[in-house]
Structures are given as C-alpha cells and as structure tokens.
Amino acid sequence: MAIAPPDNGTPPDPAQPRTGFDRFFEISARGSTMSREVRGGLATFFTMAYIVVLNPLILGGAVDGDGKKLSIPALAAATALVAGLMTMLMGVVGRFPMALAAGLGVNALVAYEIAPEMTWADAMGLVVIEGVIIAVLVLTNLRTAVFRSVPTQLKTAIGVGIGLFLTIIGLVDAGFVRRVPDVANTTVPVGLGINGKIVSWPMLVFVLGLLLTLVLVVRRVRGAILIGILASTVLAIIVEAVANVGPSFVDGKPNPKGWSLNVPELPKQIVDVPDLSLLGNFNVLDSWSRAGWLVPLMFVFTLLITDFFDTMGTMVAIGQEGDMLDEQGTPPRAKEILLVDSIAAAAGGAASVSSNTSYIESAAGVGEGARTGVANLVTGTLFLLAMFLAPLSLVVPFEAASTALVVVGFLMMTAVRTIDWTDYEIAIPAFLAITFMPFTYSISNGIGAGIISYVVLKLAKGKARDIHPLLYGVAALFVLYFLRGPIESAVL
C-alpha cells in the first residue's frame, strides 16, 4: 500500500513514459511525478541536513592516539561533499529514493573507540577496508543472498521497528522526550519535556508543527511533511527573534530550554568557501602494526556488521513505505543499492568523515511521494550547495525537522497489521526486532535479536528445514556481535 498522500492530479500513464529521463528513472512506471520527486528530495534534505553540523561535532570533539584533532570546518565541508556525491550516485545507479551521509553511531565508534588506539588516518583506513569488504560481498552476491534469506514477515517487522526508531529519534531530538536526571531518584529512564512539562518555546514549536503536519496529512494535502517543516522553521525563527531562546548549551553550560543543535535565526553570512583538506587523509596499513592485528580486526568486524545490516533494514523500510517491494520483500535493483552503499562506506573513510550509509530519514521524502532516484538528485544537489551555503543549512532546528520523523514513524508503523501475530514462531522474533530498535537505539541490534530468536525458535520446534542455510551463519555472526565485549576483554 502506498502511504504517501496522492496527488490530486492524474499521474502519467506508466505504460508510455514521455522522455528518456522518465524511462531511465522509471518515474511514470512507479506512479510518480517530477513534482513529487522534488518535494521528496527537499523533505529528505531538511530532515537529515543536521548531519553537516553534527558529524563534525562528534568527530571534531575527539582526539586520536597522538592527541590530534580534526578541523571542524574541514569536517563539515567533507561531510556535505561525500553525502551529496553518494546520494546522487544512489539516485543514478540504484535509482532508489534513499539518501546517504556519515552514519551516526558509526562515527561515534570511530571517534571514541577506534581513533584513540591509532591515528585519524589509520582509523579512517579501517573504514575504507570495511567498505571494500562489503563491496566484495555485494559483487559476489553474498550480501543480496543474505538479504533474501530473511523471512518476509521479519523484513516487515524490521520496517516497523525502524518506524518506531524514527519516532523516538524525532521526539528526543526535539526535546519532547528527555532522559530523567539521576537526581530525581526514580527508575523511570525518560519522561516528557522538562520535569514532565512543556515549558520551553522550542518544545511548543515542535508540538504546533507536529499538529499542523498531522492535520495536513489527514487532509491529504500535497507536500504535507515539507510544509510542516518549513512552517515550523518560520515559526521557530519568529520565536527566536522575539524570545531570544538561544542554544541548548551556552558557554559550555546546559540550557534545557534552548534549541537543539541549530538556533533558528537568519545567518549574517550566506556563502562560505569549503575546506576540503581532509580528502584522501587515510592509511590502510599502519593501524595493524601500531595496535596489533586483533584490535583492528575487531573494529572492522563491528563496522562491518553495523553497516551490513543497517542498510538492509533501511532499504526494506523505505521500500515498504513506498510500496516498492516485490513478493519476497525485496526492492528493485537491490544489488545496485547495496553496492552504492558499500562504495559510500569506503568514500566516507577516504574523506575522513567516517563511513557513509543510508539514512532512514529518507522515509520523509518517500512520505512526500518520492519513488525514484530523481529525489536523490535534489537531495544530493542541496548537500553539495551546503558546502558553500553552510550558514543556510543551519537555519532549520531539530524541533522543526523532527516533526517529519514522528509522522513518518506512524506511516511505517501501519505495516504491522500484515504480520501474523497468531504464529508465535514469527510473531516473537518480529516483536523483538520491533522493540529492540528503539529501546537500544540501534537498527542492527533489532535485526540481530529478530534473526537469532527466529533461528532458535524454529530449531526448538524441530523445523530446521524452514531455516534458510545462510541464516545460520548470520545468526552466528550476530551472536559474536552481541558478545564482542566479553570476547575483546578476554583476548585483548
């Protein structure tokens, strides 16, 4: 079922594409239009533009084994460059509306676990190695085979889990849901706003923006999600101009009532020259001699598992939302999609911005009607412009962009009805996959929990033949993934 609100106009006849551009990207064949693709590309960019700011803060705030830091302006420029090029490559080769950028979680792993053991160049070299390994797995069809071995209903559950994951990301980024301070002497880990209350202007902007977006979605207004983001941003700019709320941290001190990450105010400077000095600053050999073979090996394995399965889950979720999956739950051009993703991982390392991977925020674009790689051309172009127009990319605050994540989370959640909850052999793995993603803040953890439990329950019921042979190997790898802490402690 296509989830995006339909255009009021009649889409072109898919049997008769009008131009070579239309035929190449299959715009009419997938029931889309150029206006939908443009809106979708804009929505995707606005929901993930924060990475141009956040990735430099994560990587630039850490030091390597030699005590050196990476330049934040150079990280911002390289982050935008690689995101733009890889997103456009996905659009042309994969022809799938899934944008790519430096992966959150992976960049923290690189910054705080890998880099302190070696130099930044060595750490980024391991990211390049990981990307090359995944590319080989794609070219040998192993990655695609693993993807197809996962049961269809479990793939559906992965998409639903990612929807809930998106929702909690949106709620947390907007400050609507926050960690309860330890001083509260409570076992409740999170709560509403500040001390259970909506007491800040940014939170109010988020609530009003979310309500507006939901009304537009219910009324089937074209561009509902994008309109919600833009309207929330305008409101945020007005609020900041009047109330002078400020950022969430002022002079290193927390300001709970401030804006998350971006302060919504018109920039004084619009154009800036990008610093691309970090491109090519990687080394694939020295880490093995400096840290020993086991440390780099464990790091590469962790990066490999995370990238390998995160993208598979994201690909399913986006295809599921856009009604682009076949009967086996596989999107079109799956091999090409996975190949571009692996190239992006290596490209991120080569540019010193950490592994680039697919972004589930792309679902916001699909929610706006994007169905082809044309949306990626729009998103990618905006990322490239962000290198020069970085100040403008900082105008949209989390509180405005996060409305899209919550709405898309709901849309993705609707697929839960297709899971057979009376069959415990699939329902329990589906439940674990759905719940582990938001509660552990990791797509890979959810996929691992679902696959391991599926294999165990099938074996317990004496149905070993129902398990695809590849799933045994995948389950074993996930067991190693979950046990990597004790394993590292025992052998390092």
Side-chain angles (χ1 to χ4, degrees), residues 5-152:
D7 277 336
N8 294 330
T10 302
D13 181 2
Q16 296 181 348
R18 295 171 295 179
T19 64
F21 186 84
D22 187 300
R23 286 193 297 272
F24 180 81
F25 286 103
E26 301 177 326
I27 300 173
S28 298
R30 296 188 188 181
S32 186
T33 63
M34 279 298 298
S35 62
R36 287 185 183 182
E37 297 300 315
V38 172
R39 288 202 312 268
L42 288 169
T44 295
F45 175 76
F46 282 123
T47 56
M48 59 184 289
Y50 65 85
I51 194 62
V52 178
V53 180
L54 191 55
N55 191 52
L57 292 180
I58 293 173
L59 292 175
V63 297
D64 65 8
D66 291 340
K68 296 181 180 179
K69 287 189 174 184
L70 297 176
S71 165
I72 289 182
L75 283 169
T79 297
L81 174 64
V82 178
L85 294 178
M86 292 301 103
T87 294
M88 295 178 79
L89 184 64
M90 178 66 77
V92 174
V93 177
R95 303 175 201 173
F96 194 66
M98 186 169 70
L100 301 97
L104 290 174
V106 174
N107 56 5
L109 173 67
V110 172
Y112 300 111
E113 294 188 39
I114 300 180
E117 299 289 336
M118 53 196 73
T119 67
W120 280 112
D122 296 338
M124 295 303 172
L126 294 183
V127 176
V128 173
I129 293 172
E130 174 255 338
V132 171
I133 292 174
I134 292 184
V136 172
L137 295 178
V138 174
L139 294 174
T140 56
N141 293 319
L142 180 59
R143 194 179 187 187
T144 306
V146 169
F147 174 76
R148 294 181 184 277
S149 71
V150 178
T152 301

Side-chain angles (χ1 to χ4, degrees), residues 103-256:
L104 290 174
V106 174
N107 56 5
L109 173 67
V110 172
Y112 300 111
E113 294 188 39
I114 300 180
E117 299 289 336
M118 53 196 73
T119 67
W120 280 112
D122 296 338
M124 295 303 172
L126 294 183
V127 176
V128 173
I129 293 172
E130 174 255 338
V132 171
I133 292 174
I134 292 184
V136 172
L137 295 178
V138 174
L139 294 174
T140 56
N141 293 319
L142 180 59
R143 194 179 187 187
T144 306
V146 169
F147 174 76
R148 294 181 184 277
S149 71
V150 178
T152 301
Q153 289 194 60
L154 191 52
K155 289 178 183 176
T156 299
I158 290 170
V160 173
I162 290 177
L164 289 179
F165 185 34
L166 265 183
T167 301
I168 194 170
I169 288 174
L171 294 174
V172 170
D173 285 351
F176 191 78
V177 170
R178 304 189 185 205
R179 180 181 291 109
V180 176
D182 294 336
V183 294
N185 193 28
T186 177
T187 57
V188 179
V190 294
L192 170 66
I194 301 173
N195 297 322
K197 301 175 184 178
I198 300 176
V199 294
S200 70
W201 283 109
M203 289 176 62
L204 182 60
V205 168
F206 168 74
V207 171
L208 294 177
L210 178 60
L211 290 175
L212 171 64
T213 307
L214 291 173
V215 169
L216 295 175
V217 168
V218 169
R219 293 181 64 85
R220 301 284 179 174
V221 175
R222 285 184 291 177
I225 294 175
L226 182 57
I227 292 173
I229 295 173
L230 296 178
S232 300
T233 301
V234 171
L235 176 60
I237 292 173
I238 295 173
V239 167
E240 176 60 24
V242 174
N244 193 26
V245 177
S248 56
F249 279 87
V250 179
D251 296 328
K253 297 180 180 180
N255 174 25

Side-chain angles (χ1 to χ4, degrees), residues 378-394:
V378 176
T379 303
T381 299
L382 291 174
F383 268 119
L384 295 180
L385 289 175
M387 288 193 303
F388 302 91
L389 304 175
L392 287 181
S393 67
L394 306 182

Side-chain angles (χ1 to χ4, degrees), residues 321-488:
E321 184 189 349
D323 194 23
M324 293 181 285
L325 302 181
D326 59 23
E327 295 180 354
Q328 287 73 45
T330 304
R333 302 178 66 83
K335 183 176 181 179
E336 288 82 356
I337 294 171
L338 295 173
L339 179 60
V340 173
D341 179 78
S342 62
I343 293 173
S352 298
V353 295
S354 182
S355 175
N356 272 229
T357 188
S358 57
Y359 262 59
I360 189 55
E361 283 88 342
S362 305
V366 176
E368 276 299 329
R371 296 292 181 272
T372 76
V374 176
N376 279 39
L377 300 183
V378 176
T379 303
T381 299
L382 291 174
F383 268 119
L384 295 180
L385 289 175
M387 288 193 303
F388 302 91
L389 304 175
L392 287 181
S393 67
L394 306 182
V395 173
V396 182
F398 269 162
E399 289 79 4
S402 294
T403 58
L405 303 184
V406 176
V407 173
V408 170
F410 156 72
L411 297 176
M412 296 173 68
M413 180 71 187
T414 60
V416 74
R417 69 189 184 282
T418 63
I419 299 173
D420 184 2
W421 295 103
T422 63
D423 180 3
Y424 284 9
E425 295 171 30
I426 189 65
I428 292 175
F431 168 75
L432 294 177
I434 291 171
T435 54
F436 269 48
M437 288 187 198
F439 293 153
T440 66
Y441 238 64
S442 168
I443 294 175
S444 292
N445 289 348
I447 296 175
I451 289 177
I452 291 173
S453 59
Y454 176 81
V455 170
V456 170
L457 293 178
K458 284 293 185 182
L459 289 175
K461 290 282 288 185
K463 297 181 179 180
R465 292 185 178 181
D466 291 353
I467 305 172
H468 193 288
L470 282 176
L471 276 191
Y472 288 110
V474 173
L477 287 175
F478 268 117
V479 170
L480 291 175
Y481 173 75
F482 286 124
L483 294 178
R484 67 189 186 281
I487 292 174
E488 290 173 356

